[in-house]
Amino acid sequence: MANVIELRKLAETDVAQEIHKEQYGPVITNPPFVFVDGTFNTRDLGLVPGSPLRAGFVYRSGALTTLTDDGKAVMSGKLGIKRVFDIRSPEEREKGPDPEIEGIENTWHHNARPDSTPDLDKFVSGAGEQGYEDMYLEVIDVYSTVWKDILEHVRDRPSDPFMYHCTAGRDRTGVISGLLLALAGASPDTITLDYLLSRIGTEPVRKHLIAFAMAGSHAKSQDQPGFLNLCSLTAASWNAFVNGVRRDYGGFEKFVTDKLGFSADDVITIKKNLASS
């Protein structure tokens, strides 16, 4: 596995620039990435360098719509996954529902409200910090039901490994990963590294995801101001979101208690279960 400095440097590659297979191949075939045939951007949150989470419990991924039979066997067998949480809109799910896998429970909920179309004007300045702050604050509101389900799973089923995913496995999936890492006591650098690793993990499907972003944002072209910032991942954008959570909720832990309704004792149990079986 590449060291943290090398990983971070590769993960900060501009989204408009191709990462060649000889660069990303050795990374996505080694921890924290996990090879599950038919998926991309799949990794073990406990194997991210510096992660306080226990390995083999929390997995994150991109869409599972092209999962192969071998991939299904790895998920249910080698990884021992018992539950998959789908963090996508009804429209995304209708186009590509999660596959049924024997022994694995699928969980999905209707959004609290429809996702908004990203306002590209908010992504123009800097690295798009304002756009990311607004988009991710909306994400934790719109998908609050599944956030609660995931945390209840950690609290109540510490012996059952689980996976969650959205379409790209980077934004909605990245937000819940940051929340779990923060609750477990990960350093800001570790949380940011995990967030940025999706730049490497999505490289095999980068062109497809850029097209997905164009459709979702109604961008007229990739050259439209703000669009490439929308497709990028930067530490500055993640930090803008973290600062927004701190301002609006008092931080991730207060979000879990005040917004999602978990008790202080629940949070203690969740933290313990993330770190030990």
Side-chain angles (χ1 to χ4, degrees):
M1 182 178 69
N3 65 40
V4 172
I5 295 174
E6 292 171 341
L7 278 175
R8 179 76 179 246
K9 182 178 179 181
L10 188 61
E12 290 176 333
T13 303
D14 191 295
V15 73
Q17 178 183 339
E18 179 184 4
I19 301 176
H20 297 291
K21 190 170 184 179
E22 59 266 26
Q23 295 174 286
Y24 75 74
V27 176
I28 65 172
T29 52
N30 283 286
F33 288 92
V34 178
F35 178 70
V36 178
D37 195 32
T39 70
F40 62 92
N41 202 19
T42 305
R43 55 189 184 268
D44 183 335
L45 212 60
L47 295 178
V48 175
S51 173
L53 272 70
R54 57 188 166 102
F57 182 45
V58 184
Y59 295 92
R60 55 174 295 175
S61 182
L64 305 181
T65 49
T66 58
L67 186 68
T68 67
D69 287 342
D70 285 344
K72 294 177 183 179
V74 168
M75 285 178 62
S76 62
K78 180 180 178 180
L79 303 184
I81 290 169
K82 301 299 182 185
R83 194 174 184 184
V84 170
F85 295 89
D86 184 350
I87 316 172
R88 294 182 298 164
S89 68
E91 295 76 17
E92 291 169 286
R93 184 174 170 82
E94 184 177 349
K95 290 178 182 177
D98 278 353
E100 296 292 332
I101 306 173
E102 186 174 356
I104 297 181
E105 173 187 355
N106 285 340
T107 299
W108 175 80
H109 292 284
H110 245 287
N111 302 6
R113 54 188 170 85
D115 294 291
S116 298
T117 300
D119 182 352
L120 290 179
D121 288 343
K122 293 184 177 181
F123 289 86
V124 173
S125 179
E129 291 93 336
Q130 186 59 59
Y132 270 100
E133 178 184 336
D134 291 354
M135 182 169 69
Y136 288 169
L137 286 173
E138 180 182 85
V139 160
I140 63 175
D141 183 39
V142 169
Y143 294 91
S144 59
T145 302
V146 74
W147 304 150
K148 188 171 183 179
D149 265 359
I150 289 171
L151 291 172
E152 286 176 344
H153 182 98
V154 174
R155 181 192 65 191
D156 301 335
R157 298 169 60 175
S159 298
D160 290 353
F162 65 97
M163 173 184 283
Y164 48 86
H165 74 90
C166 52
T167 292
R170 47 158 265 174
D171 294 309
R172 290 163 289 189
T173 298
V175 167
I176 186 61
S177 297
L179 171 61
L180 293 174
L181 284 164
L183 288 176
S187 70
D189 283 347
T190 295
I191 297 172
T192 301
L193 175 63
D194 175 66
Y195 173 72
L196 294 175
L197 284 177
S198 286
R199 171 65 187 92
I200 306 171
T202 58
E203 179 61 25
V205 293
R206 180 173 60 92
K207 292 180 180 178
H208 170 76
L209 293 179
I210 288 175
F212 175 77
M214 286 191 67
S217 64
H218 302 158
K220 296 179 176 62
S221 75
Q222 293 184 28
D223 296 326
Q224 184 169 337
F227 178 72
L228 288 180
N229 276 346
L230 170 65
C231 296
S232 299
L233 295 174
T234 67
S237 296
W238 176 258
N239 290 337
F241 164 60
V242 172
N243 290 335
V245 173
R246 188 178 297 118
R247 180 195 64 231
D248 291 357
Y249 299 103
F252 284 117
E253 191 165 327
K254 290 284 286 181
F255 168 78
V256 168
T257 55
D258 297 356
K259 171 71 174 178
L260 299 184
F262 289 89
S263 69
D265 286 343
D266 287 333
V267 173
I268 291 171
T269 300
I270 288 167
K271 290 180 176 181
K272 178 179 71 69
N273 288 350
L274 286 170
S276 60
S277 56

